[in-house]
Amino acid sequence: MTGRFITFEGIDGAGKSSHIPRLADWLQAQGRTVLVTREPGGTPLAETLRECLLHQSMDAMTEALLVFAARRDHLQQQIRPALEAGHTVLCDRFTDATFAYQGAGRGFDLKVLTQLEAWVQSGLQPDLTFLFDLPSAQAAQRRAAVRAADRFEAQDENFFDRVRSGYQLRRAAQPGRFALLDASQTPAEVWTQLRRALEARGW
Ligand code: TYD
């Protein structure tokens, strides 16, 4: 694989989504071919599963199986071919979200998630993961200002505290893959942090 696989993570309301198109423009201006995509989603099948996940009630195991089913299709149809072609893939959420939301948030067995990760990804991990970190109370204020909540966004602050801790655990296990961003700052300041993290990697 010659391309670069970059993922964006954080609790709902952390502000990651606005930075993805901006980074895509910046990379394209440097002559890179960029695939912007998201999880759950990124293929017709995975987008159908996303609708189920966000709006239908189900238990944590069903959630975990559906996100990994969507991920498998996304990897086969979009992510792997793009990386093999040397493109840069910018993906709004990936498997860290499963460990944070289904694992830490819902309390689903992390060992099972680790097994599913190994089966579905065959060792493929992002080259870089931006973790947009901010306190859950601040994220809740931002969410309330912009949109109606889906099944995940409707969870209480304790849930998002656990999700935030879940992300920190993933980062502690693979520190070299993560760039931690202080998402409580202004969008301009967060963008500067993000650019610095790329520069630090010589990208
Ligand atoms: P999100 O990426 O925040 O999109 P939007 O900004 O359009 O709301 O929404 C996806 C939701 O799915 C988010 O609440 C987290 C959840 N999710 C999981 O629970 N597990 C996963 O593995 C993934 C990828 C997402």
Side-chain angles (χ1 to χ4, degrees):
M1 299 248 183
T2 53
R4 280 179 186 148
F5 183 21
I6 304 176
T7 59
F8 299 78
E9 299 283 2
I11 62 175
D12 290 273
K16 64 187 163 51
S17 301
S18 62
H19 286 89
I20 297 172
R22 191 166 180 184
L23 180 58
D25 289 345
W26 188 78
L27 291 167
Q28 275 160 353
Q30 296 181 352
R32 292 194 164 270
T33 304
V34 180
L35 170 68
V36 176
T37 187
R38 67 173 181 182
E39 289 218 341
T43 68
L45 171 60
E47 290 290 336
T48 302
L49 294 175
R50 178 189 178 92
E51 277 309 301
C52 301
L53 277 156
L54 295 190
H55 303 296
Q56 294 189 33
S57 72
M58 62 187 78
D59 78 345
M61 188 192 290
T62 311
E63 265 180 23
L65 293 170
L66 289 185
V67 288
F68 273 112
R71 181 161 300 136
R72 177 70 184 178
D73 193 54
H74 192 202
L75 280 165
Q76 299 303 99
Q77 305 289 336
Q78 292 285 341
I79 297 175
R80 283 187 187 278
L83 293 174
E84 277 158 15
H87 301 165
T88 301
V89 176
L90 303 185
C91 190
D92 188 346
R93 301 191 184 279
F94 195 63
T95 305
D96 298 314
T98 315
F99 280 79
Y101 281 78
Q102 281 65 51
R106 301 273 197 233
F108 185 66
D109 192 337
L110 297 180
K111 283 199 234 74
V112 177
L113 295 183
T114 302
Q115 236 168 1
L116 289 168
E117 178 182 34
W119 285 340
V120 167
Q121 291 165 226
S122 315
L124 180 71
Q125 287 289 347
D127 297 297
L128 171 62
T129 298
F130 288 110
L131 179 53
F132 289 68
D133 185 56
L134 90 168
S136 55
Q138 219 176 320
Q141 279 174 0
R142 287 187 186 174
R143 288 198 303 277
V146 291
R147 62 191 173 212
D150 61 36
R151 273 180 72 236
F152 294 100
E153 292 165 344
Q155 298 295 313
D156 64 16
E157 235 171 270
N158 291 333
F159 176 85
F160 285 105
D161 284 339
R162 292 197 299 278
V163 172
R164 188 183 182 201
S165 308
Y167 275 126
Q168 295 298 354
L169 277 181
R170 286 285 280 181
R171 176 169 160 257
Q174 302 173 46
R177 174 162 70 81
F178 281 87
L180 183 70
L181 306 178
D182 175 1
S184 68
Q185 296 193 354
T186 64
E189 287 163 336
V190 175
W191 173 245
T192 303
Q193 293 179 52
L194 192 153
R195 290 277 312 280
R196 286 211 187 102
L198 290 175
E199 278 164 24
R201 283 166 173 78
W203 294 7

